[in-house]
C-alpha cells in the first residue's frame, strides 16, 4: 500500500513539474513549458537554434511599442509572429523571415493587455510560445 501511495504522489508531482495538462496553465504569467514570465521593460529578446526558441514565454508592457530582438543562430529561415491565440491564423505582428546566423530588431506596435501566442511561421508546430502583454 505504501508503494502505491508513493507512486501516486510521484506521478502527481511529475504532472505538476511538467505543467499539468499538456504544459498549460490558467495563470497567464506562466509560459507553455511552465516558465514564469514577467514584464521587465519595453525590450525583449529571443533566439532560435536547433528548431526551437530559447524561451517559452515573453512579457511586455501593455499599450506601448516594444522592441523584440531576434537572434537566429542557425542557417535556417525563422521569424517571430504574434497571434491572438494558438488557433488563430491572423497575426497581430509578423516579423520578416531571416536566415541565420543573423540578428534583427523587430518593432512591435502597442498591444492591449492579454495573453497571446508567438511562433515561427516557417516552423509553426516546433517553434511556439506564450506572449504576455500586461
Amino acid at each position: 500500500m505504501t508503494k502505491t501511495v508513493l507512486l501516486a504522489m510521484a506521478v502527481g508531482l511529475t504532472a505538476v513539474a511538467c505543467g499539468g495538462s499538456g504544459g498549460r496553465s490558467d495563470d497567464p504569467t506562466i509560459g507553455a513549458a511552465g516558465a514564469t514570465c514577467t514584464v521587465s521593460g519595453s525590450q525583449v529578446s529571443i533566439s532560435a537554434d536547433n528548431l526551437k526558441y530559447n524561451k517559452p514565454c515573453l512579457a511586455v508592457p501593455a499599450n506601448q511599442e516594444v522592441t523584440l530582438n531576434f537572434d537566429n543562430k542557425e542557417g535556417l529561415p525563422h521569424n517571430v509572429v504574434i497571434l491572438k491565440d494558438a488557433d488563430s491564423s491572423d497575426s497581430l505582428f509578423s516579423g520578416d523571415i531571416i536566415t541565420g546566423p543573423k540578428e534583427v530588431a523587430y518593432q512591435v506596435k502597442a498591444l492591449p493587455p492579454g495573453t497571446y501566442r508567438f511562433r515561427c511561421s516557417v516552423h509553426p508546430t516546433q517553434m511556439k510560445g506564450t506572449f504576455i502583454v500586461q
Side-chain angles (χ1 to χ4, degrees):
M1 183 160 176
T2 303
K3 288 181 182 180
T4 303
V5 171
L6 288 175
L7 179 60
M9 288 175 58
V11 168
L13 287 173
T14 301
V16 170
C18 292
S21 61
R24 296 188 57 149
S25 169
D26 292 333
D27 183 347
T29 62
I30 307 256
T36 301
C37 192
T38 57
V39 176
S40 63
S42 61
Q43 286 199 34
V44 289
S45 298
I46 193 165
S47 64
D49 197 13
N50 294 317
L51 287 176
K52 62 184 175 185
Y53 291 120
N54 69 323
K55 298 175 184 176
C57 182
L58 296 171
V60 299
N63 303 314
Q64 67 179 269
E65 184 174 294
V66 297
T67 300
L68 172 56
N69 296 307
F70 177 54
D71 182 5
N72 183 353
K73 296 180 179 277
E74 62 185 330
L76 296 174
H78 297 303
N79 71 339
V80 179
V81 176
I82 301 171
L83 304 163
K84 188 168 187 167
D85 58 53
D87 298 323
S88 179
S89 61
D90 294 330
S91 62
L92 301 171
F93 168 80
S94 183
D96 291 337
I97 297 171
I98 60 169
T99 300
K102 186 175 181 180
E103 295 179 37
V104 65
Y106 296 132
Q107 297 303 310
V108 180
K109 69 178 181 166
L111 294 171
T115 301
Y116 305 98
R117 302 292 179 240
F118 67 87
R119 69 180 179 204
C120 172
S121 62
V122 182
H123 307 98
T125 59
Q126 296 131 311
M127 300 175 66
K128 55 191 171 182
T130 303
F131 194 85
I132 308 289
V133 181
Q134 294 181 320

